[in-house]
Amino acid sequence: MDAFLQYTVQGLAAGGFYALAALGLAVIFGALGVVNFAHGSFYMLGAVASAVLLDVLGIQFWAALVIVPILMFIFGIIIELLLVQWLLKLDILYNFLLTFGLSLVLVDLVKRQYGVSGLPYELPAGLGGLLQIGSVEVPSYQLFVFLFALAVCLVVWFVLSKTRVGMIVRAATEEPERARALGINVSAWVTPVFGFGVALAGLAGVLAAPFRAITATMGTNFIIILFAIVVIGGLGSVLGAVVAGFLVGLVEAYGQGYAGTFSQVLIFVLMAVVIAVRPAGLFGRKEAV
Amino acid sequence: MIEIHGLSANYGEARVLNDVSLEVHQGEVVTLVGRNGAGKTTMLRSIMGLHRDLSGSISFDGKPIEKWSPNARARAGIGWVPDDRGIYASLTVAENLTLPPVVHKDAWSMEQIHATFPRMRERRSSMGTQLSGGEQQMLAIARVLRMGSRLLLLDEPSEGLAPVIVQRIGEIIREIKAQGVAVLLVEQNVKFASTVADRHYLLSQGRVVEQLSNDDFKAREVELLEHLGM
């Protein structure tokens, strides 16, 4: 039972950054129709940026939690204006090629600069210890990651479902042409939405920095799991991305605890089951298939 | 209000509109009547800026708009009610209504909307596509009125609706007209068209083959029905 609770907290923490990154992927796919293969490298850049900020400028975790997403937002805007906006009128094949190529470039640039061995990162002050819950001790950092990610997801959900900005994004996502005909400048919304999605991936990277190995290739496996999450949750569904993110985090943690090396396979077994039962994913609409 | 000269539109190799000229004045209801595939919907999409493969001139309030984006045209006062009604499934009824910006000082207030379309108040928290077909049609019309559009492009508003609802839509069109709004109505329902319109353009294979006053239109109803294959 004690071990189960520990795996649960560990799974919810991993689920936290899965959920954040998948949320970014879902928002980008929804608003732009772009399947972003570079999302894993944006996550990696978030983690690397935190390590570099600490090493070079002495900027600590708490500040990085704010600074890195802002930097990644700006980076996302640049990428959108420079590269991604040209994809929107082209065949979807080009979007695979461009974002996949972009991720290869980013990974190699980081490798060239920082090598292949992991960059060091310390747990932030105050979150290094263990927290007593009932009879078990869980790492307080993992609990923090879970609660923080959950809070960010709730804020994003609130903005999307209750504000005018969210209303416009939902309309532009569902049927962009119609939104244009109703006087909404959809193109003006696309760039910041992409930047926002990239910032979420970067934020996931910051959260992952203290307890995952920070390497150039850390996003490579991550993106595969992210796609599994998006498929499980339903392509383009924001709620689905968050729920499936936490679900996959838990499956992975229980897998590591009880099934050893089988853990990664379990994620894809879950994906296969979901596709068999609900082809559109847990929260996907039928058109999304 | 809107003047179109020599408009031709293509879908790939196929020419769907051929040298079409028409105009709609303030406070006037004009219909485009024709068979399926005559180019009626393409005409409305071209005015809205959604169909780009075209030549000819379109001027609205005296300004040439053929290079304008759809959102600029909407902001200038053109309101589109598409044939599928264009209601957002992921937005509530109230959100569907308030999504477009208000673009004119004569735009309907929420009170006016609710007085004319009481169901919009009752169902305001429902998701848009949970409404019945007739209610969705009302919502689509209410949406462009709240926006303050000065020219409404209505694409077959009577299609698939019960007679009592079609009658209600007719009343609303007459009310809009009385306020000086122009309406370009695509319609296959000849009876309905003759109850609301001032003039009619008969469209066949992408060309305007005849222009009729409503009196002529009524007098030749049987012949027109035959022409339309209905």
Side-chain angles (χ1 to χ4, degrees):
Chain A
M1 189 59 210
D2 290 359
F4 179 77
L5 192 63
Q6 276 168 346
Y7 296 144
T8 305
V9 173
Q10 189 190 326
L12 290 173
F17 50 80
Y18 283 148
L20 285 179
L23 183 58
L25 200 62
V27 168
I28 290 175
F29 177 76
L32 287 82
V34 165
V35 180
N36 181 22
F37 277 84
H39 214 63
S41 16
F42 294 149
Y43 156 83
M44 175 273 290
L45 282 183
V48 169
S50 333
V52 173
L53 284 177
L54 178 66
D55 185 43
V56 178
L57 300 172
I59 291 171
Q60 301 288 321
F61 174 80
W62 297 108
L65 211 49
V66 179
I67 295 170
V68 172
I70 294 174
L71 291 176
M72 293 302 291
F73 177 78
I74 296 167
F75 181 68
I77 298 263
I78 295 169
I79 294 288
E80 207 281 333
L81 292 175
L82 217 56
L83 301 171
V84 175
Q85 64 156 323
W86 308 107
L87 291 175
L88 304 180
K89 292 181 187 112
L90 299 176
D91 189 90
I92 194 154
L93 190 62
Y94 291 93
N95 133 24
F96 295 140
L97 288 172
L98 183 117
T99 56
F100 186 64
L102 179 64
S103 80
L104 293 179
V105 170
L106 292 174
V107 168
D108 274 6
L109 283 176
V110 171
K111 262 189 202 160
R112 187 188 143 98
Q113 190 65 30
Y114 302 106
V116 286
S117 57
L119 297 165
Y121 203 78
E122 280 170 27
L123 280 171
L127 290 177
L130 296 168
L131 205 72
Q132 189 81 29
I133 300 179
S135 61
V136 289
E137 290 181 318
V138 296
S140 32
Y141 183 69
Q142 290 184 359
L143 212 56
F144 163 77
V145 169
F146 165 59
L147 293 174
F148 182 81
L150 191 65
V152 172
C153 290
L154 284 174
V155 169
V156 173
W157 172 83
F158 179 83
V159 169
L160 277 177
S161 60
K162 300 289 170 202
T163 67
R164 177 150 184 92
V165 172
M167 181 166 103
I168 290 171
V169 170
R170 270 180 290 146
T173 300
E174 187 182 326
E175 181 56 75
E177 180 180 81
R178 195 180 296 156
R180 284 191 191 96
L182 289 171
I184 290 163
N185 189 351
V186 174
S187 321
W189 287 94
V190 159
T191 312
V193 166
F194 187 83
F196 178 72
V198 174
L200 282 177
L203 181 61
V206 182
L207 291 172
F211 78 129
R212 294 257 160 137
I214 308 173
T215 67
T217 52
M218 68 187 287
T220 316
N221 191 34
F222 189 76
I223 186 71
I224 297 172
I225 296 176
L226 274 190
F227 279 126
I229 290 168
V230 169
V231 169
I232 291 169
L235 212 56
S237 163
V238 164
L239 179 63
V242 172
V243 171
F246 283 110
L247 193 64
V248 164
L250 285 171
V251 167
E252 189 184 51
Y254 295 141
Q256 277 161 1
Y258 299 111
T261 51
F262 203 59
S263 126
Q264 295 278 301
V265 179
L266 281 178
I267 294 171
F268 295 98
V269 170
L270 175 67
M271 184 176 94
V273 170
V274 168
I275 291 175
V277 179
R278 277 185 68 92
L282 295 177
F283 296 90
R285 282 195 298 270
K286 282 200 185 71
E287 310 87 89
V289 183
Chain B
M1 179 135 273
I2 190 154
E3 284 178 51
I4 294 165
H5 285 292
L7 192 79
S8 296
N10 305 305
Y11 271 107
E13 299 283 295
R15 172 150 286 198
V16 281
L17 288 177
N18 205 337
D19 196 21
V20 174
S21 298
L22 63 81
E23 51 189 61
V24 186
H25 305 287
Q26 197 177 345
E28 199 183 25
V29 178
V30 172
T31 68
L32 281 176
V33 185
R35 293 186 188 200
N36 279 333
K40 307 185 298 290
T41 295
T42 304
M43 188 74 215
L44 297 192
R45 290 177 57 84
S46 303
I47 296 173
M48 204 62 241
L50 296 168
H51 188 84
R52 308 299 287 195
D53 187 2
L54 47 86
S55 59
S57 72
I58 307 174
S59 74
F60 182 67
D61 275 344
K63 283 174 251 149
I65 60 163
E66 60 273 356
K67 296 239 163 34
W68 293 16
S69 66
N71 56 295
R73 296 181 199 206
R75 283 172 184 268
I78 304 180
W80 184 45
V81 178
D83 54 352
D84 66 358
R85 285 126 198 180
I87 301 305
Y88 282 105
S90 58
L91 268 59
T92 64
V93 169
E95 285 175 332
N96 264 289
L97 269 176
T98 53
L99 175 70
V102 173
V103 301
H104 195 272
K105 60 177 171 44
D106 292 343
W108 287 31
S109 66
M110 229 30 180
E111 289 72 39
Q112 272 174 293
I113 296 282
H114 285 154
T116 307
F117 307 91
R119 288 293 279 166
M120 299 303 119
R121 189 206 293 275
E122 293 158 25
R123 306 282 319 255
R124 64 182 176 276
S125 309
S126 308
M127 297 316 278
T129 46
Q130 286 172 346
L131 297 183
S132 71
E135 288 166 344
Q136 286 188 35
Q137 187 65 58
M138 299 291 185
L139 174 55
I141 295 173
R143 183 165 61 185
V144 289
L145 292 175
R146 201 210 67 99
M147 194 176 170
S149 304
R150 307 302 297 153
L151 168 68
L152 302 196
L153 308 175
L154 304 184
D155 201 343
E156 302 219 30
S158 71
E159 193 187 12
L161 300 181
V164 57
I165 296 170
V166 174
Q167 204 183 344
R168 180 77 189 113
I169 289 174
E171 288 164 18
I172 290 167
I173 292 176
R174 283 188 289 271
E175 190 181 335
I176 297 166
K177 170 185 157 72
Q179 294 177 0
V181 173
V183 177
L184 182 57
L185 176 70
V186 159
E187 200 44 83
Q188 292 208 43
N189 183 339
V190 169
K191 266 251 159 22
F192 173 66
S194 69
T195 62
V196 292
D198 302 303
R199 286 188 299 121
H200 307 266
Y201 289 97
L202 199 54
L203 210 59
S204 177
Q205 296 181 333
R207 290 174 189 275
V208 172
V209 290
E210 240 177 312
Q211 197 192 144
L212 298 166
S213 72
N214 199 35
D215 291 335
D216 291 342
F217 188 80
K218 279 182 185 158
R220 291 169 56 187
E221 197 179 304
V222 178
E223 177 200 340
L224 290 169
L225 281 170
E226 232 160 68
H227 169 82
L228 292 170
M230 285 182 292

